[in-house]
PDB file of all heavy atoms in Angstrom:
ATOM      1  N   ASP G1106     141.366 134.078  63.646  1.00  0.00           N
ATOM      2  CA  ASP G1106     142.615 133.308  63.595  1.00  0.00           C
ATOM      3  C   ASP G1106     143.808 134.276  63.549  1.00  0.00           C
ATOM      4  O   ASP G1106     143.691 135.387  63.048  1.00  0.00           O
ATOM      5  CB  ASP G1106     142.648 132.415  62.360  1.00  0.00           C
ATOM      6  CG  ASP G1106     141.982 131.068  62.638  1.00  0.00           C
ATOM      7  OD1 ASP G1106     141.672 130.795  63.818  1.00  0.00           O
ATOM      8  OD2 ASP G1106     141.766 130.313  61.682  1.00  0.00           O
ATOM      9  N   ASP G1107     144.939 133.791  64.053  1.00  0.00           N
ATOM     10  CA  ASP G1107     146.128 134.655  64.077  1.00  0.00           C
ATOM     11  C   ASP G1107     146.801 134.772  62.709  1.00  0.00           C
ATOM     12  O   ASP G1107     147.396 135.802  62.380  1.00  0.00           O
ATOM     13  CB  ASP G1107     147.153 134.108  65.082  1.00  0.00           C
ATOM     14  CG  ASP G1107     146.751 134.445  66.517  1.00  0.00           C
ATOM     15  OD1 ASP G1107     145.746 135.166  66.697  1.00  0.00           O
ATOM     16  OD2 ASP G1107     147.435 133.979  67.436  1.00  0.00           O
ATOM     17  N   VAL G1108     146.773 133.661  61.945  1.00  0.00           N
ATOM     18  CA  VAL G1108     147.350 133.666  60.590  1.00  0.00           C
ATOM     19  C   VAL G1108     146.484 132.759  59.728  1.00  0.00           C
ATOM     20  O   VAL G1108     145.745 131.929  60.246  1.00  0.00           O
ATOM     21  CB  VAL G1108     148.803 133.113  60.542  1.00  0.00           C
ATOM     22  CG1 VAL G1108     149.798 134.048  61.170  1.00  0.00           C
ATOM     23  CG2 VAL G1108     148.890 131.731  61.170  1.00  0.00           C
ATOM     24  N   GLY G1109     146.608 132.852  58.421  1.00  0.00           N
ATOM     25  CA  GLY G1109     145.886 131.899  57.576  1.00  0.00           C
ATOM     26  C   GLY G1109     145.485 132.483  56.244  1.00  0.00           C
ATOM     27  O   GLY G1109     145.753 133.641  55.934  1.00  0.00           O
ATOM     28  N   ALA G1110     144.825 131.640  55.457  1.00  0.00           N
ATOM     29  CA  ALA G1110     144.416 132.028  54.105  1.00  0.00           C
ATOM     30  C   ALA G1110     143.068 132.732  54.172  1.00  0.00           C
ATOM     31  O   ALA G1110     142.013 132.144  53.913  1.00  0.00           O
ATOM     32  CB  ALA G1110     144.338 130.780  53.215  1.00  0.00           C
ATOM     33  N   TYR G1111     143.097 133.995  54.598  1.00  0.00           N
ATOM     34  CA  TYR G1111     141.870 134.804  54.729  1.00  0.00           C
ATOM     35  C   TYR G1111     142.114 136.136  54.025  1.00  0.00           C
ATOM     36  O   TYR G1111     142.469 137.142  54.662  1.00  0.00           O
ATOM     37  CB  TYR G1111     141.539 135.056  56.200  1.00  0.00           C
ATOM     38  CG  TYR G1111     141.301 133.807  57.013  1.00  0.00           C
ATOM     39  CD1 TYR G1111     142.244 133.368  57.943  1.00  0.00           C
ATOM     40  CD2 TYR G1111     140.123 133.066  56.863  1.00  0.00           C
ATOM     41  CE1 TYR G1111     142.022 132.217  58.691  1.00  0.00           C
ATOM     42  CE2 TYR G1111     139.900 131.921  57.610  1.00  0.00           C
ATOM     43  CZ  TYR G1111     140.853 131.510  58.520  1.00  0.00           C
ATOM     44  OH  TYR G1111     140.636 130.386  59.266  1.00  0.00           O
ATOM     45  N   THR G1112     141.974 136.140  52.728  1.00  0.00           N
ATOM     46  CA  THR G1112     142.267 137.337  51.945  1.00  0.00           C
ATOM     47  C   THR G1112     141.478 138.543  52.459  1.00  0.00           C
ATOM     48  O   THR G1112     140.267 138.443  52.664  1.00  0.00           O
ATOM     49  CB  THR G1112     141.930 137.074  50.466  1.00  0.00           C
ATOM     50  OG1 THR G1112     142.708 135.960  50.032  1.00  0.00           O
ATOM     51  CG2 THR G1112     142.231 138.287  49.593  1.00  0.00           C
ATOM     52  N   GLY G1113     142.171 139.623  52.674  1.00  0.00           N
ATOM     53  CA  GLY G1113     141.503 140.868  53.075  1.00  0.00           C
ATOM     54  C   GLY G1113     141.334 141.034  54.572  1.00  0.00           C
ATOM     55  O   GLY G1113     140.812 142.062  55.012  1.00  0.00           O
ATOM     56  N   MET G1114     141.749 140.048  55.365  1.00  0.00           N
ATOM     57  CA  MET G1114     141.501 140.120  56.810  1.00  0.00           C
ATOM     58  C   MET G1114     142.757 140.536  57.583  1.00  0.00           C
ATOM     59  O   MET G1114     143.870 140.436  57.075  1.00  0.00           O
ATOM     60  CB  MET G1114     141.018 138.757  57.322  1.00  0.00           C
ATOM     61  CG  MET G1114     139.739 138.292  56.666  1.00  0.00           C
ATOM     62  SD  MET G1114     138.391 139.434  57.018  1.00  0.00           S
ATOM     63  CE  MET G1114     137.563 139.478  55.442  1.00  0.00           C
ATOM     64  N   ILE G1115     142.544 140.956  58.825  1.00  0.00           N
ATOM     65  CA  ILE G1115     143.622 141.426  59.703  1.00  0.00           C
ATOM     66  C   ILE G1115     143.503 140.695  61.036  1.00  0.00           C
ATOM     67  O   ILE G1115     142.401 140.561  61.573  1.00  0.00           O
ATOM     68  CB  ILE G1115     143.478 142.947  59.968  1.00  0.00           C
ATOM     69  CG1 ILE G1115     143.393 143.755  58.673  1.00  0.00           C
ATOM     70  CG2 ILE G1115     144.581 143.452  60.883  1.00  0.00           C
ATOM     71  CD1 ILE G1115     144.691 144.116  58.028  1.00  0.00           C
ATOM     72  N   SER G1116     144.632 140.231  61.567  1.00  0.00           N
ATOM     73  CA  SER G1116     144.575 139.429  62.800  1.00  0.00           C
ATOM     74  C   SER G1116     145.043 140.231  64.021  1.00  0.00           C
ATOM     75  O   SER G1116     145.665 141.291  63.893  1.00  0.00           O
ATOM     76  CB  SER G1116     145.453 138.179  62.654  1.00  0.00           C
ATOM     77  OG  SER G1116     146.818 138.529  62.716  1.00  0.00           O
ATOM     78  N   ALA G1117     144.781 139.641  65.193  1.00  0.00           N
ATOM     79  CA  ALA G1117     145.135 140.311  66.452  1.00  0.00           C
ATOM     80  C   ALA G1117     146.637 140.611  66.561  1.00  0.00           C
ATOM     81  O   ALA G1117     147.003 141.738  66.927  1.00  0.00           O
ATOM     82  CB  ALA G1117     144.642 139.482  67.637  1.00  0.00           C
ATOM     83  N   PRO G1118     147.537 139.663  66.263  1.00  0.00           N
ATOM     84  CA  PRO G1118     148.964 140.006  66.397  1.00  0.00           C
ATOM     85  C   PRO G1118     149.373 141.169  65.498  1.00  0.00           C
ATOM     86  O   PRO G1118     150.244 141.968  65.856  1.00  0.00           O
ATOM     87  CB  PRO G1118     149.688 138.711  65.970  1.00  0.00           C
ATOM     88  CG  PRO G1118     148.679 137.627  66.157  1.00  0.00           C
ATOM     89  CD  PRO G1118     147.339 138.249  65.922  1.00  0.00           C
ATOM     90  N   MET G1119     148.731 141.294  64.328  1.00  0.00           N
ATOM     91  CA  MET G1119     149.058 142.410  63.419  1.00  0.00           C
ATOM     92  C   MET G1119     148.643 143.743  64.038  1.00  0.00           C
ATOM     93  O   MET G1119     149.296 144.766  63.846  1.00  0.00           O
ATOM     94  CB  MET G1119     148.327 142.234  62.077  1.00  0.00           C
ATOM     95  CG  MET G1119     148.739 140.994  61.327  1.00  0.00           C
ATOM     96  SD  MET G1119     147.622 140.715  59.940  1.00  0.00           S
ATOM     97  CE  MET G1119     148.286 139.167  59.341  1.00  0.00           C
ATOM     98  N   LEU G1120     147.563 143.722  64.786  1.00  0.00           N
ATOM     99  CA  LEU G1120     147.054 144.944  65.418  1.00  0.00           C
ATOM    100  C   LEU G1120     147.862 145.290  66.661  1.00  0.00           C
ATOM    101  O   LEU G1120     148.205 146.449  66.903  1.00  0.00           O
ATOM    102  CB  LEU G1120     145.577 144.761  65.783  1.00  0.00           C
ATOM    103  CG  LEU G1120     144.657 144.527  64.579  1.00  0.00           C
ATOM    104  CD1 LEU G1120     143.276 144.080  65.036  1.00  0.00           C
ATOM    105  CD2 LEU G1120     144.557 145.787  63.729  1.00  0.00           C
TER     106      LEU G1120
END
Side-chain angles (χ1 to χ4, degrees):
D1106 273 351
D1107 283 355
V1108 289
Y1111 300 107
T1112 301
M1114 300 298 140
I1115 306 276
S1116 73
M1119 297 169 184
L1120 297 169

